[in-house]
Amino acid sequence: MSLRHAVLGLLAEAPASGYDLMKLFNATLSNVWPATQSQVYGELTKLTTAGLVEVAAHGPRGRKEYAITEDGLAELRHWLTEIEPSGPQRHDGLLRVFFLGIVTPLEAQTFLLHQAERAAHTRATLEHLEETAEWDEEMISVYGRIALEYGLRMSATQEEWARWAAEEVTSARARKASALARAQHTEGGQAEEE
């Protein structure tokens, strides 16, 4: 459902062709809600059929420029003000943390340090975006900058947590828990200790 509202939100800023929408999508929303070209074009078709957007202009080579309708704007406002966000999404990496006792402390630490590096890379990418983007007074730019700050803060927190966790998995308590977990699955109940 959010792709629909992402497209409506972009069109609320200004009319755009499918190609222009994809460029804008990739420049602004892809870190938050990635979408492929076929998904965006498919959503434009659905939105047009539903009367939430309309073809406002035709250009060369079959180019169509879409604009949000009053019904589309009402739907976007309804979604923004009356529909609760879906809440926390599934996090495959964090799910794995619950089961790191199955592997050796060194393997667990390696996994967590890799997560820290991924978070650091994400933060570096966002910092580059912050430095190089042409921030103006348009809605997507102003509020996009606010969303970017969320990404910067979250990636910094994720990196800090992963580095902390990498140290935790080598503590005596974690090593003991890991040895017990691995002992349940080795011959003779002997756990490897690394």
Side-chain angles (χ1 to χ4, degrees):
M1 206 59 170
S2 290
L3 177 58
R4 162 180 283 223
H5 296 99
V7 171
L8 287 172
L10 291 175
L11 290 174
E13 176 93 9
S17 68
Y19 175 78
D20 293 335
L21 268 178
M22 270 315 299
K23 281 178 37 184
L24 190 55
F25 207 99
N26 289 332
T28 59
L29 303 180
S30 63
N31 288 326
V32 176
W33 199 270
T36 64
Q37 182 175 348
S38 63
Q39 289 172 318
V40 170
Y41 277 91
E43 198 59 50
L44 279 171
T45 300
K46 292 176 193 173
L47 289 168
T48 303
T49 301
L52 301 177
V53 302
E54 62 188 2
V55 177
H58 292 276
R61 296 181 304 279
R63 182 182 186 274
K64 297 177 186 174
E65 187 172 87
Y66 296 87
I68 193 168
T69 63
E70 285 300 318
D71 286 346
L73 197 52
E75 170 60 24
L76 182 59
R77 285 185 177 126
H78 170 75
W79 178 72
L80 286 167
T81 61
E82 297 178 32
I83 304 297
E84 277 295 317
S86 61
Q89 302 298 312
R90 295 176 179 165
H91 192 301
D92 181 45
L94 197 52
L95 177 63
R96 293 170 192 226
V97 172
F98 280 92
F99 309 113
L100 285 178
I102 299 299
V103 300
T104 67
L106 179 60
E107 290 170 321
Q109 189 175 49
T110 300
F111 170 79
L112 290 162
L113 289 174
H114 177 70
Q115 299 309 302
E117 290 306 314
R118 284 182 58 187
H121 177 73
T122 297
R123 191 177 72 252
T125 300
L126 294 174
E127 286 171 345
H128 177 73
L129 177 61
E130 181 181 39
E131 293 167 5
T132 59
E134 295 180 24
W135 303 104
D136 57 28
E137 301 302 315
E138 298 293 321
M139 178 188 72
I140 295 297
S141 188
V142 171
Y143 290 95
R145 175 63 190 84
I146 292 170
L148 177 67
E149 185 64 27
Y150 174 87
L152 289 166
R153 291 179 188 208
M154 286 302 293
S155 57
T157 298
Q158 288 168 344
E159 179 185 4
E160 180 186 342
W161 170 83
R163 292 192 189 287
W164 169 84
E167 291 299 316
E168 277 297 301
V169 297
T170 62
S171 71
R173 186 175 183 184
R175 291 176 78 80
K176 183 177 179 182
S178 292
L180 289 172
R182 287 193 313 278
Q184 293 177 3
H185 302 286
T186 59
E187 284 189 51
Q190 300 285 332
E192 301 172 26
E193 190 62 40
E194 290 188 23

